Amino acid sequence: MLILFFVIVFSSMGFGLVLPPFVFVAKNLGASEMLAGFIVSSFAMGQFLATPFWGRLSDQHGRKPILVVTMAASIFAYLLMAWSDWSGSLWLLLVARFLTGLMAGNFAAATAYVADITPPEKRAQGMGMVGGAVSIGFMSGPAIGGLLSGNTAETASLFWPAIIAALMSFLTMIGILAFLRESLSAEQ
């Protein structure tokens, strides 16, 4: 359960790390306020579309493989985000943001994992742990991202927040591979 707690914390931290500079970077790359808002919201659109897909796949193939795949793709998405800032590509930024949303379906697999490993009388406690882990990640991610992104709106950068988010996704993936056992049996 402790490994799963850190999986959820690091996943939500990665999401939060890139939030503080995002609108400023999009505007610095030439986006209007409306387009910058659309790019930011593309994460939620990706997550909305992909969560049922990842949930179904985790029911069919197990929680661990889905967690590994989504973390690996998150690494790629965050590196793409860093590259979009470095190269000055607004459309690459949109693709990277949407891709991070598509990979956020790992929350569905992580929540299902908690349901798998907790007895019914302790399930509320397990889901409370999920909520607490998400909250810790959402609080600490933007704080760290704000420190890494620059001092002014004009110099805001996603490069280091995205690199750190990719690193956290990598560490999370290693933790999943090394310490997390599959929660579904072959019969399930």
Side-chain angles (χ1 to χ4, degrees):
M1 191 72 126
L2 185 62
I3 295 300
L4 195 58
F5 179 81
F6 285 110
V7 165
I8 297 168
V9 168
F10 284 170
S11 293
S12 53
M13 275 182 81
F15 165 79
L17 272 163
V18 298
L19 277 180
F22 214 95
V23 171
F24 301 120
V25 169
K27 288 178 71 176
N28 291 343
L29 294 176
S32 65
E33 284 85 3
M34 180 180 267
L35 182 55
F38 178 77
I39 292 171
V40 170
S41 67
S42 67
F43 177 93
M45 289 183 266
Q47 187 176 24
F48 175 77
L49 293 172
T51 297
F53 171 76
W54 291 120
R56 184 170 310 154
L57 279 181
S58 77
D59 288 342
Q60 293 172 347
H61 303 288
R63 313 303 186 208
K64 184 175 179 175
I66 300 308
L67 288 169
V68 170
V69 166
T70 55
M71 293 315 302
S74 291
I75 295 165
F76 172 75
Y78 286 124
L79 291 175
L80 191 64
M81 192 177 291
W83 179 254
S84 71
D85 187 24
W86 183 265
S87 68
S89 174
L90 184 62
W91 298 109
L92 197 55
L93 183 65
L94 171 62
V95 169
R97 182 68 174 162
F98 184 68
L99 186 57
T100 59
L102 289 175
M103 294 308 112
N106 61 10
F107 288 118
T111 304
Y113 192 103
V114 170
D116 293 342
I117 64 170
T118 55
E121 65 274 5
K122 293 198 175 206
R123 194 146 302 137
Q125 180 183 358
M127 295 303 164
M129 186 266 319
V130 169
V134 169
S135 296
I136 289 170
F138 281 164
M139 287 186 309
S140 55
I144 297 167
L147 292 172
L148 295 172
S149 61
N151 295 327
T152 65
E154 294 78 26
T155 62
S157 172
L158 274 169
F159 184 78
W160 286 113
I163 292 295
I164 298 301
L167 177 63
M168 294 182 89
S169 296
F170 176 75
L171 294 174
T172 302
M173 186 180 72
I174 296 302
I176 292 166
L177 287 168
F179 301 111
L180 210 60
R181 292 179 301 158
E182 177 55 55
S183 64
L184 289 178
S185 66
E187 300 82 42
Q188 292 175 306

